[in-house]
C-alpha cells in the first residue's frame, strides 16, 4: 500500500533525497571512490579521466532530453525510470567488470542523472505553493551537497571496515531504493489552467506521439539558434575543464599531497559537500538582500 504524500515540507525533503541520489551518488560517488577504484583496478589517470568525461557527456545528453519532454504529466514517470536507471548502474558495479562495461554504465548513469535532475526538480517545485517555494526549493537543491557528504561518509566508513568500491556502490544503491517508493507516493498538484478532459488527453498520449512531439520541440529549439547552441556547447566544455576535472580528482590529489593522512581525500570531499549543502539556503536569501 503506497500512501499519498501532499505535505509540502515532506515533498521538499523527498526532493532533497532525490538530489542526493541522482547527483550525490549518481555522479559524485565515482569521485569519492575513485582513489580506491584506481588502486584496485590499476587504472591510469587517463582512463579515470575518460570515465569521468563520458559521465559528463551523458549528463549533458540527459539534460537536453529532459528539456524537451513535452507533457508535464510524464515528469513523474520519467523521473522514476531515470532514478531506477541510476540505482541499477550502482548495483551493477562489480570488481572484475570490463572497461567497456564501465564506460557504458557511466554513460547511462550520466544520462539518467541529467534527466532525473531536471525533471525531478520540475516535478517537486511544481508541487510547492508559491509562498513557500523559495524556501523549500532550497531544501530540495541542498540534496546535492547532502549526497556528496554522504558519499564521503559511506566510502570512509566501509573502507575502514575493509571493504572496497564494489561494496560501497552496492550499499549506495540499496539505500537509494526507498526513493522510488517515496516519489511514487507524491500526488501531483492539480493544474488549474487545464480542465480534466485536457489532462486526461495528455495522460493518454501514445509513445509514438510523445516521440513526434519531442522531435518537433527539438527541431524548433535548434532551428535558427545555431550560434546560441554553439556557445552553450563551448561553455559546457569549459565548465568540464574548470569544474568537473578538478572536482573528480580532488580526493585523488588530496590523498597524493597529504600522504600522512589516510583519508585526507575523503575529508576534503566531505567539506565540499557540507559547503555545497549550506550554499543553497544562503543563495535563496540573496534575492531578498537589499544593496545599501
Amino acid at each position: 500500500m503506497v500512501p499519498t504524500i501532499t505535505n509540502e515540507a515532506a515533498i521538499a525533503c523527498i526532493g532533497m533525497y532525490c538530489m542526493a541520489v541522482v547527483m550525490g551518488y549518481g555522479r559524485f560517488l565515482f569521485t569519492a571512490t575513485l582513489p580506491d577504484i584506481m588502486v584496485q583496478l590499476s587504472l591510469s589517470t587517463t582512463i579515470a579521466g575518460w570515465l569521468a568525461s563520458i559521465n559528463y557527456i551523458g549528463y549533458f545528453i540527459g539534460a537536453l532530453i529532459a528539456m524537451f519532454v513535452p507533457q508535464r504529466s510524464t515528469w513523474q514517470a520519467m523521473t522514476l525510470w531515470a532514478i531506477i536507471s541510476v540505482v541499477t548502474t550502482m548495483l551493477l558495479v562489480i570488481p572484475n567488470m570490463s572497461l567497456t562495461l564501465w564506460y557504458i554504465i557511466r554513460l547511462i548513469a550520466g544520462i539518467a542523472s541529467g534527466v532525473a535532475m531536471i525533471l525531478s526538480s520540475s516535478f517537486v517545485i511544481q508541487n510547492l505553493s508559491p509562498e513557500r517555494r523559495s524556501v523549500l526549493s532550497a531544501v530540495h537543491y541542498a540534496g546535492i551537497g547532502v549526497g556528496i557528504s554522504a558519499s564521503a561518509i559511506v566510502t570512509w566508513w566501509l573502507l575502514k571496515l575493509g571493504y572496497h568500491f564494489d561494496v560501497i556502490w552496492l550499499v549506495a544503491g540499496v539505500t537509494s531504493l526507498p526513493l522510488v517508493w517515496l516519489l511514487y507516493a507524491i500526488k501531483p498538484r492539480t493544474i488549474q489552467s487545464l480542465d480534466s478532459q485536457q489532462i486526461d488527453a495528455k495522460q493518454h498520449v501514445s509513445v509514438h506521439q510523445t516521440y513526434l512531439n519531442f522531435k518537433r520541440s527539438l527541431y524548433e529549439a535548434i532551428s535558427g539558434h545555431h550560434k546560441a547552441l554553439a556557445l552553450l556547447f563551448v561553455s559546457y566544455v569549459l565548465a568540464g575543464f574548470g569544474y568537473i576535472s578538478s572536482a573528480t580528482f580532488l580526493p585523488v590529489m588530496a590523498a597524493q599531497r597529504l600522504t600522512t593522512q589516510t583519508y585526507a581525500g575523503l575529508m576534503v570531499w566531505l567539506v565540499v559537500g557540507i559547503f555545497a549543502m549550506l550554499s543553497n539556503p544562503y543563495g535563496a536569501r540573496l534575492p531578498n538582500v537589499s544593496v545599501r
Side-chain angles (χ1 to χ4, degrees), residues 69-154:
V69 174
Q71 284 88 28
R72 292 177 63 169
S73 59
T74 62
W75 287 354
Q76 186 177 29
M78 285 199 67
T79 299
L80 288 170
W81 280 111
I83 290 169
I84 290 171
S85 299
V86 171
V87 174
T88 302
T89 59
M90 288 190 279
L91 296 176
L92 285 176
V93 172
I94 55 177
N96 57 349
M97 191 166 62
S98 69
L99 189 58
T100 301
L101 191 55
W102 265 106
Y103 281 123
I104 294 172
I105 283 180
R106 294 309 294 155
L107 177 63
I108 294 173
I111 295 173
S113 294
V115 171
M117 195 272 187
I118 301 297
L119 294 186
S120 67
S121 297
S122 301
F123 177 69
V124 168
I125 291 173
Q126 77 163 353
N127 282 281
L128 304 176
S129 59
E131 58 272 15
R132 302 186 67 189
R133 188 166 293 165
S134 176
V135 174
L136 292 180
S137 62
V139 175
H140 166 70
Y141 287 111
I144 299 174
V146 171
I148 292 173
S149 298
S151 70
I153 293 170
V154 170

Coordinates of all heavy atoms in Angstrom, one line a residue, residues 69-154:
V69 N 10.9 17.3 -22.9 CA 9.8 16.4 -22.5 C 8.5 17.2 -22.6 O 8.4 18.2 -21.9 CB 10.0 15.8 -21.1 CG1 8.8 15.0 -20.7 CG2 11.2 14.9 -21.1
P70 N 7.6 16.9 -23.5 CA 6.5 17.8 -23.8 C 5.4 17.8 -22.8 O 4.7 18.8 -22.7 CB 6.0 17.2 -25.2 CG 6.4 15.8 -25.2 CD 7.7 15.7 -24.4
Q71 N 5.1 16.7 -22.1 CA 3.9 16.7 -21.2 C 4.4 16.7 -19.8 O 5.2 15.9 -19.3 CB 3.1 15.5 -21.5 CG 2.2 15.6 -22.7 CD 3.0 15.1 -23.9 OE1 3.8 14.2 -23.8 NE2 2.6 15.6 -25.1
R72 N 3.8 17.6 -19.0 CA 4.0 17.7 -17.6 C 3.6 16.4 -16.9 O 4.2 16.0 -15.9 CB 3.3 18.9 -16.9 CG 3.8 20.2 -17.4 CD 3.0 21.3 -16.8 NE 3.1 21.4 -15.3 CZ 2.6 22.4 -14.6 NH1 2.1 23.4 -15.2 NH2 2.7 22.3 -13.3
S73 N 2.6 15.7 -17.4 CA 2.1 14.5 -16.8 C 3.1 13.4 -16.9 O 2.9 12.4 -16.2 CB 0.8 14.1 -17.5 OG 1.0 13.9 -18.9
T74 N 4.1 13.5 -17.7 CA 5.1 12.4 -17.8 C 6.3 12.7 -16.9 O 7.2 11.8 -16.9 CB 5.6 12.3 -19.3 OG1 6.3 13.5 -19.7 CG2 4.5 12.0 -20.2
W75 N 6.4 13.8 -16.3 CA 7.6 14.2 -15.5 C 7.8 13.1 -14.4 O 8.9 12.7 -14.2 CB 7.4 15.5 -14.8 CG 7.6 16.7 -15.8 CD1 7.9 16.6 -17.1 CD2 7.4 18.0 -15.6 NE1 7.9 17.8 -17.7 CE2 7.6 18.7 -16.8 CE3 7.0 18.8 -14.4 CZ2 7.5 20.1 -16.9 CZ3 6.9 20.1 -14.5 CH2 7.1 20.8 -15.7
Q76 N 6.8 12.8 -13.6 CA 6.9 11.8 -12.5 C 7.4 10.5 -13.0 O 8.3 9.9 -12.5 CB 5.6 11.7 -11.8 CG 5.8 10.9 -10.5 CD 4.5 10.8 -9.7 OE1 3.4 10.9 -10.3 NE2 4.6 10.6 -8.4
A77 N 6.7 10.0 -14.1 CA 7.1 8.7 -14.7 C 8.5 8.6 -15.2 O 9.2 7.7 -14.9 CB 6.1 8.3 -15.8
M78 N 8.9 9.7 -15.9 CA 10.3 9.7 -16.4 C 11.3 9.8 -15.3 O 12.4 9.2 -15.4 CB 10.5 10.8 -17.5 CG 9.8 10.5 -18.8 SD 10.4 11.5 -20.1 CE 12.1 10.9 -20.3
T79 N 11.0 10.6 -14.3 CA 11.9 10.7 -13.1 C 12.1 9.4 -12.5 O 13.2 9.0 -12.1 CB 11.3 11.7 -12.1 OG1 11.2 13.0 -12.8 CG2 12.2 11.9 -10.9
L80 N 11.0 8.6 -12.3 CA 11.1 7.3 -11.6 C 11.9 6.4 -12.5 O 12.8 5.7 -11.9 CB 9.7 6.7 -11.5 CG 8.8 7.4 -10.4 CD1 7.4 6.9 -10.5 CD2 9.3 7.1 -9.0
W81 N 11.7 6.4 -13.8 CA 12.6 5.5 -14.6 C 14.0 5.9 -14.6 O 14.9 5.0 -14.6 CB 12.0 5.5 -16.0 CG 10.9 4.6 -16.2 CD1 9.6 4.9 -16.5 CD2 10.9 3.1 -16.1 NE1 8.8 3.8 -16.6 CE2 9.5 2.7 -16.4 CE3 11.8 2.2 -15.9 CZ2 9.2 1.3 -16.3 CZ3 11.5 0.8 -15.9 CH2 10.2 0.4 -16.1
A82 N 14.3 7.2 -14.6 CA 15.7 7.7 -14.6 C 16.3 7.3 -13.3 O 17.5 6.9 -13.2 CB 15.7 9.2 -14.8
I83 N 15.6 7.4 -12.2 CA 16.2 7.1 -10.8 C 16.4 5.6 -10.8 O 17.5 5.1 -10.2 CB 15.3 7.5 -9.7 CG1 15.3 9.1 -9.6 CG2 15.7 6.9 -8.4 CD1 14.3 9.7 -8.8
I84 N 15.5 4.8 -11.3 CA 15.7 3.3 -11.4 C 17.0 3.0 -12.2 O 17.8 2.1 -11.8 CB 14.5 2.6 -12.0 CG1 13.3 2.7 -11.0 CG2 14.8 1.2 -12.3 CD1 12.0 2.2 -11.6
S85 N 17.2 3.7 -13.2 CA 18.4 3.5 -14.0 C 19.7 3.9 -13.3 O 20.7 3.2 -13.3 CB 18.4 4.4 -15.3 OG 17.2 4.0 -16.1
V86 N 19.6 5.0 -12.5 CA 20.8 5.4 -11.7 C 21.1 4.4 -10.7 O 22.3 4.0 -10.5 CB 20.5 6.8 -11.0 CG1 21.6 7.1 -10.0 CG2 20.4 7.9 -12.1
V87 N 20.1 3.9 -10.0 CA 20.3 2.9 -8.9 C 20.8 1.6 -9.5 O 21.7 0.9 -9.0 CB 19.0 2.6 -8.1 CG1 19.1 1.5 -7.2 CG2 18.5 3.9 -7.4
T88 N 20.2 1.2 -10.7 CA 20.7 0.0 -11.3 C 22.2 0.0 -11.7 O 22.9 -0.9 -11.5 CB 19.9 -0.3 -12.6 OG1 18.5 -0.4 -12.2 CG2 20.3 -1.6 -13.3
T89 N 22.6 1.2 -12.2 CA 24.0 1.3 -12.5 C 24.9 1.2 -11.3 O 26.1 0.7 -11.4 CB 24.3 2.7 -13.2 OG1 24.0 3.7 -12.4 CG2 23.6 2.8 -14.5
M90 N 24.4 1.6 -10.1 CA 25.2 1.4 -8.9 C 25.3 0.0 -8.5 O 26.3 -0.5 -8.0 CB 24.6 2.3 -7.8 CG 24.9 3.8 -8.0 SD 24.4 4.7 -6.5 CE 22.6 4.9 -6.7
L91 N 24.1 -0.7 -8.7 CA 24.1 -2.1 -8.3 C 24.9 -3.0 -9.2 O 25.2 -4.2 -8.8 CB 22.6 -2.6 -8.2 CG 21.7 -1.9 -7.2 CD1 20.3 -2.4 -7.3 CD2 22.2 -2.1 -5.7
L92 N 25.1 -2.6 -10.4 CA 25.8 -3.4 -11.4 C 27.4 -3.4 -11.2 O 28.0 -4.2 -11.9 CB 25.5 -2.9 -12.8 CG 24.1 -3.3 -13.3 CD1 23.9 -2.7 -14.7 CD2 23.9 -4.8 -13.4
V93 N 27.9 -2.5 -10.4 CA 29.3 -2.3 -10.3 C 29.9 -3.6 -9.6 O 29.5 -3.9 -8.5 CB 29.7 -1.0 -9.5 CG1 31.2 -1.0 -9.2 CG2 29.3 0.2 -10.4
I94 N 30.8 -4.2 -10.2 CA 31.5 -5.4 -9.6 C 33.0 -5.3 -9.9 O 33.4 -4.5 -10.8 CB 31.0 -6.7 -10.3 CG1 31.2 -6.7 -11.8 CG2 29.5 -7.0 -9.9 CD1 30.7 -8.0 -12.5
P95 N 33.8 -5.9 -9.0 CA 35.3 -5.7 -9.1 C 35.9 -6.1 -10.5 O 36.8 -5.4 -10.9 CB 35.8 -6.7 -8.0 CG 34.6 -6.9 -7.1 CD 33.4 -6.8 -7.9
N96 N 35.4 -7.2 -11.1 CA 36.1 -7.7 -12.3 C 35.4 -7.2 -13.6 O 35.4 -7.9 -14.6 CB 36.2 -9.2 -12.3 CG 34.8 -9.9 -12.1 OD1 33.9 -9.2 -11.8 ND2 34.8 -11.2 -12.3
M97 N 34.7 -6.1 -13.5 CA 33.9 -5.6 -14.6 C 34.9 -5.1 -15.7 O 35.9 -4.4 -15.4 CB 33.0 -4.4 -14.1 CG 32.0 -4.0 -15.2 SD 30.7 -3.0 -14.3 CE 31.7 -1.6 -13.8
S98 N 34.5 -5.3 -17.0 CA 35.4 -4.9 -18.1 C 35.3 -3.4 -18.2 O 34.4 -2.7 -17.8 CB 34.9 -5.5 -19.4 OG 33.7 -5.0 -19.8
L99 N 36.4 -2.8 -18.8 CA 36.4 -1.4 -19.0 C 35.3 -0.9 -19.9 O 34.7 0.2 -19.7 CB 37.8 -1.0 -19.6 CG 38.1 0.5 -19.7 CD1 38.1 1.1 -18.3 CD2 39.5 0.7 -20.3
T100 N 34.9 -1.7 -20.9 CA 33.8 -1.3 -21.8 C 32.5 -1.2 -21.0 O 31.8 -0.2 -21.2 CB 33.7 -2.4 -22.9 OG1 34.9 -2.5 -23.7 CG2 32.5 -2.0 -23.8
L101 N 32.3 -2.1 -20.1 CA 31.1 -2.0 -19.3 C 31.1 -0.8 -18.4 O 30.1 -0.2 -18.1 CB 30.9 -3.3 -18.5 CG 29.6 -3.5 -17.8 CD1 28.4 -3.4 -18.8 CD2 29.5 -4.9 -17.1
W102 N 32.3 -0.5 -17.9 CA 32.4 0.7 -17.1 C 32.0 1.9 -17.9 O 31.3 2.8 -17.3 CB 33.9 0.9 -16.6 CG 34.2 0.3 -15.3 CD1 34.9 -0.8 -15.0 CD2 33.9 0.9 -14.0 NE1 35.0 -1.0 -13.6 CE2 34.4 0.0 -13.0 CE3 33.1 2.0 -13.6 CZ2 34.2 0.3 -11.6 CZ3 33.0 2.3 -12.3 CH2 33.5 1.4 -11.3
Y103 N 32.5 2.1 -19.1 CA 32.1 3.2 -19.9 C 30.6 3.2 -20.1 O 29.9 4.3 -20.1 CB 32.8 3.1 -21.3 CG 34.2 3.6 -21.2 CD1 35.3 2.7 -21.7 CD2 34.6 4.8 -20.8 CE1 36.6 3.1 -21.6 CE2 35.9 5.3 -20.8 CZ 36.9 4.4 -21.2 OH 38.2 4.8 -21.2
I104 N 30.0 2.1 -20.4 CA 28.5 2.0 -20.7 C 27.8 2.4 -19.4 O 26.8 3.2 -19.5 CB 28.1 0.6 -21.1 CG1 28.7 0.3 -22.5 CG2 26.6 0.5 -21.2 CD1 28.5 -1.2 -22.9
I105 N 28.1 1.9 -18.3 CA 27.5 2.2 -17.1 C 27.6 3.7 -16.7 O 26.6 4.4 -16.3 CB 28.0 1.3 -15.9 CG1 27.4 -0.1 -16.0 CG2 27.7 1.9 -14.5 CD1 27.9 -1.0 -14.9
R106 N 28.8 4.3 -16.9 CA 29.0 5.7 -16.6 C 28.2 6.6 -17.5 O 27.7 7.6 -17.1 CB 30.5 6.0 -16.6 CG 31.3 5.4 -15.5 CD 30.7 5.6 -14.1 NE 30.7 7.0 -13.7 CZ 29.9 7.5 -12.8 NH1 28.9 6.7 -12.3 NH2 30.0 8.8 -12.5
L107 N 28.1 6.2 -18.8 CA 27.3 6.9 -19.7 C 25.8 6.9 -19.4 O 25.1 7.9 -19.4 CB 27.5 6.4 -21.2 CG 26.7 7.1 -22.3 CD1 27.0 8.5 -22.4 CD2 26.9 6.3 -23.6
I108 N 25.3 5.7 -19.1 CA 23.9 5.5 -18.7 C 23.6 6.3 -17.4 O 22.5 7.0 -17.3 CB 23.5 4.0 -18.6 CG1 23.6 3.3 -19.9 CG2 22.1 3.9 -18.0 CD1 23.4 1.8 -19.8
A109 N 24.5 6.2 -16.5 CA 24.3 6.9 -15.2 C 24.3 8.4 -15.4 O 23.5 9.2 -14.8 CB 25.4 6.6 -14.2
G110 N 25.1 8.9 -16.4 CA 25.1 10.4 -16.7 C 23.8 10.8 -17.3 O 23.2 11.8 -16.9
I111 N 23.3 10.0 -18.3 CA 22.1 10.4 -19.0 C 20.9 10.4 -18.0 O 20.1 11.3 -17.9 CB 21.8 9.4 -20.1 CG1 22.9 9.6 -21.2 CG2 20.4 9.6 -20.7 CD1 22.8 8.5 -22.3
A112 N 20.8 9.3 -17.2 CA 19.8 9.2 -16.2 C 19.8 10.3 -15.2 O 18.8 10.8 -14.7 CB 19.8 7.8 -15.6
S113 N 21.0 10.6 -14.7 CA 21.2 11.7 -13.7 C 20.7 13.0 -14.3 O 20.0 13.8 -13.6 CB 22.6 11.8 -13.3 OG 23.0 10.7 -12.6
G114 N 21.0 13.3 -15.6 CA 20.6 14.5 -16.2 C 19.1 14.6 -16.3 O 18.5 15.7 -16.0
V115 N 18.5 13.6 -16.8 CA 17.0 13.5 -16.9 C 16.4 13.7 -15.5 O 15.5 14.5 -15.3 CB 16.6 12.2 -17.5 CG1 15.0 12.1 -17.5 CG2 17.0 12.2 -19.0
A116 N 16.9 12.9 -14.5 CA 16.2 12.9 -13.2 C 16.5 14.3 -12.5 O 15.6 14.7 -11.8 CB 16.8 11.8 -12.4
M117 N 17.6 14.9 -12.7 CA 17.9 16.1 -12.0 C 16.9 17.2 -12.5 O 16.3 18.0 -11.7 CB 19.3 16.6 -12.3 CG 19.8 17.7 -11.4 SD 19.5 19.3 -12.0 CE 20.4 20.3 -10.8
I118 N 16.7 17.3 -13.8 CA 15.9 18.4 -14.4 C 14.4 18.1 -14.1 O 13.7 18.9 -13.6 CB 16.1 18.5 -15.9 CG1 17.5 18.8 -16.2 CG2 15.1 19.6 -16.5 CD1 18.0 20.1 -15.7
L119 N 13.9 16.9 -14.4 CA 12.5 16.6 -14.3 C 12.1 16.4 -12.8 O 11.0 16.8 -12.4 CB 12.2 15.3 -15.0 CG 12.3 15.4 -16.5 CD1 11.8 14.1 -17.2 CD2 11.6 16.6 -17.1
S120 N 13.0 15.9 -11.9 CA 12.6 15.8 -10.5 C 12.5 17.2 -9.9 O 11.6 17.5 -9.1 CB 13.6 15.0 -9.7 OG 14.8 15.6 -9.7
S121 N 13.3 18.1 -10.3 CA 13.2 19.5 -9.9 C 11.9 20.1 -10.3 O 11.2 20.8 -9.5 CB 14.4 20.3 -10.4 OG 15.6 19.8 -9.8
S122 N 11.6 19.9 -11.6 CA 10.3 20.5 -12.1 C 9.1 19.9 -11.4 O 8.2 20.6 -11.0 CB 10.2 20.2 -13.6 OG 11.3 20.8 -14.3
F123 N 9.2 18.5 -11.2 CA 8.1 17.8 -10.5 C 7.9 18.3 -9.1 O 6.8 18.5 -8.6 CB 8.3 16.3 -10.6 CG 7.3 15.5 -9.9 CD1 6.0 15.5 -10.4 CD2 7.6 14.8 -8.8 CE1 5.0 14.7 -9.7 CE2 6.6 14.1 -8.1 CZ 5.4 14.0 -8.6
V124 N 9.0 18.4 -8.3 CA 9.0 18.7 -6.9 C 8.5 20.2 -6.7 O 7.6 20.5 -5.9 CB 10.3 18.5 -6.2 CG1 10.4 19.1 -4.8 CG2 10.6 17.0 -6.1
I125 N 9.2 21.1 -7.5 CA 8.9 22.5 -7.3 C 7.4 22.9 -7.7 O 6.8 23.7 -7.1 CB 9.9 23.3 -8.1 CG1 11.3 23.2 -7.4 CG2 9.5 24.8 -8.1 CD1 12.4 23.8 -8.2
Q126 N 6.9 22.2 -8.7 CA 5.5 22.5 -9.1 C 4.5 22.0 -8.0 O 3.4 22.4 -8.0 CB 5.2 21.8 -10.4 CG 4.9 20.3 -10.3 CD 4.2 19.8 -11.5 OE1 3.7 20.5 -12.4 NE2 4.0 18.5 -11.6
N127 N 5.0 21.2 -7.1 CA 4.1 20.7 -6.0 C 4.3 21.6 -4.8 O 3.7 21.2 -3.7 CB 4.4 19.3 -5.7 CG 3.7 18.3 -6.7 OD1 2.6 18.0 -6.6 ND2 4.5 17.8 -7.6
L128 N 5.0 22.7 -4.9 CA 5.2 23.6 -3.8 C 4.4 24.9 -4.0 O 4.3 25.3 -5.2 CB 6.7 23.9 -3.6 CG 7.6 22.8 -3.4 CD1 9.1 23.3 -3.3 CD2 7.3 22.0 -2.1
S129 N 3.7 25.4 -3.0 CA 3.0 26.6 -3.2 C 3.9 27.8 -3.4 O 5.0 27.8 -2.9 CB 2.1 26.9 -1.9 OG 2.9 27.0 -0.8
P130 N 3.4 28.8 -4.2 CA 4.3 30.0 -4.5 C 4.9 30.6 -3.3 O 6.0 31.1 -3.3 CB 3.3 30.9 -5.2 CG 2.3 30.0 -5.8 CD 2.1 28.9 -4.8
E131 N 4.1 30.7 -2.2 CA 4.6 31.4 -1.0 C 5.7 30.7 -0.3 O 6.5 31.3 0.5 CB 3.5 31.8 0.0 CG 2.7 30.6 0.5 CD 1.5 30.2 -0.5 OE1 1.5 30.7 -1.6 OE2 0.7 29.5 0.0
R132 N 5.8 29.4 -0.4 CA 6.8 28.5 0.2 C 7.9 28.0 -0.7 O 8.8 27.3 -0.3 CB 6.2 27.4 1.0 CG 5.1 27.8 2.0 CD 4.6 26.6 2.8 NE 5.6 26.0 3.7 CZ 5.5 24.9 4.3 NH1 4.4 24.2 4.2 NH2 6.5 24.5 5.1
R133 N 7.7 28.3 -2.0 CA 8.6 27.7 -3.0 C 10.0 28.1 -2.8 O 10.9 27.3 -3.0 CB 8.1 28.1 -4.4 CG 8.7 27.4 -5.5 CD 7.9 27.6 -6.8 NE 6.6 26.9 -6.7 CZ 5.6 27.2 -7.6 NH1 5.8 28.1 -8.5 NH2 4.5 26.5 -7.5
S134 N 10.3 29.4 -2.5 CA 11.7 29.8 -2.4 C 12.4 29.1 -1.3 O 13.6 28.6 -1.5 CB 11.7 31.3 -2.1 OG 13.0 31.8 -1.9
V135 N 11.8 29.0 -0.1 CA 12.5 28.3 1.0 C 12.6 26.8 0.8 O 13.7 26.2 0.9 CB 11.7 28.6 2.3 CG1 12.3 27.8 3.5 CG2 11.7 30.1 2.6
L136 N 11.5 26.2 0.3 CA 11.5 24.7 0.2 C 12.3 24.2 -1.0 O 12.9 23.1 -1.0 CB 10.1 24.2 0.2 CG 9.3 24.4 1.5 CD1 7.9 23.8 1.3 CD2 10.0 23.7 2.6
S137 N 12.4 25.0 -2.0 CA 13.3 24.6 -3.2 C 14.7 24.6 -2.8 O 15.5 23.8 -3.3 CB 13.0 25.6 -4.4 OG 13.4 26.9 -4.1
A138 N 15.1 25.5 -1.8 CA 16.5 25.5 -1.3 C 16.8 24.2 -0.6 O 17.9 23.6 -0.7 CB 16.7 26.7 -0.4
V139 N 15.8 23.7 0.1 CA 15.9 22.4 0.8 C 16.1 21.3 -0.3 O 16.9 20.4 -0.1 CB 14.6 22.1 1.6 CG1 14.7 20.7 2.2 CG2 14.5 23.1 2.8
H140 N 15.3 21.3 -1.3 CA 15.4 20.4 -2.4 C 16.8 20.3 -3.0 O 17.4 19.3 -3.1 CB 14.4 20.7 -3.5 CG 14.5 20.0 -4.8 ND1 14.3 18.7 -4.9 CD2 15.0 20.5 -6.0 CE1 14.6 18.3 -6.2 NE2 15.0 19.4 -6.9
Y141 N 17.3 21.5 -3.4 CA 18.6 21.5 -4.0 C 19.8 21.3 -3.1 O 20.9 21.0 -3.5 CB 18.8 22.9 -4.8 CG 18.0 23.0 -6.0 CD1 16.9 23.8 -6.1 CD2 18.3 22.2 -7.1 CE1 16.2 23.9 -7.3 CE2 17.5 22.2 -8.3 CZ 16.5 23.1 -8.3 OH 15.7 23.2 -9.5
A142 N 19.6 21.5 -1.8 CA 20.6 21.1 -0.8 C 21.0 19.7 -0.8 O 22.0 19.3 -0.4 CB 20.1 21.5 0.6
G143 N 20.1 18.9 -1.5 CA 20.3 17.4 -1.6 C 21.6 17.1 -2.3 O 22.2 16.0 -2.1
I144 N 22.1 18.0 -3.2 CA 23.3 17.7 -3.9 C 24.5 17.7 -3.0 O 25.3 16.7 -3.0 CB 23.5 18.8 -5.0 CG1 22.4 18.8 -6.0 CG2 24.9 18.6 -5.7 CD1 22.5 19.9 -7.1
G145 N 24.5 18.7 -2.1 CA 25.6 18.7 -1.1 C 25.4 17.6 -0.1 O 26.4 17.0 0.4
V146 N 24.2 17.2 0.3 CA 23.9 16.1 1.2 C 24.5 14.8 0.6 O 25.1 14.0 1.3 CB 22.4 16.0 1.5 CG1 22.1 14.7 2.3 CG2 21.9 17.2 2.3
G147 N 24.2 14.6 -0.7 CA 24.7 13.4 -1.4 C 26.2 13.3 -1.5 O 26.8 12.3 -1.3
I148 N 26.8 14.5 -1.7 CA 28.3 14.5 -1.8 C 28.9 14.1 -0.4 O 29.8 13.3 -0.3 CB 28.8 15.9 -2.2 CG1 28.4 16.1 -3.7 CG2 30.3 16.0 -2.0 CD1 28.7 17.5 -4.2
S149 N 28.3 14.7 0.6 CA 28.8 14.4 2.0 C 28.5 13.0 2.4 O 29.4 12.3 3.0 CB 28.1 15.3 3.0 OG 28.4 16.7 2.8
A150 N 27.3 12.5 2.0 CA 27.0 11.1 2.3 C 28.0 10.1 1.5 O 28.4 9.1 2.1 CB 25.6 10.8 1.9
S151 N 28.3 10.5 0.3 CA 29.2 9.6 -0.5 C 30.6 9.6 0.2 O 31.2 8.5 0.2 CB 29.4 10.1 -1.9 OG 30.1 11.4 -2.0
A152 N 31.0 10.7 0.8 CA 32.3 10.7 1.5 C 32.2 9.9 2.8 O 33.1 9.1 3.1 CB 32.7 12.1 1.8
I153 N 31.1 10.0 3.5 CA 31.0 9.3 4.8 C 30.8 7.8 4.6 O 31.5 7.0 5.3 CB 29.8 9.9 5.6 CG1 30.0 11.3 6.0 CG2 29.5 9.0 6.8 CD1 28.8 12.0 6.6
V154 N 30.0 7.4 3.6 CA 29.8 6.0 3.4 C 31.1 5.3 2.9 O 31.5 4.2 3.3 CB 28.7 5.8 2.3 CG1 28.6 4.3 1.9 CG2 27.3 6.2 2.9

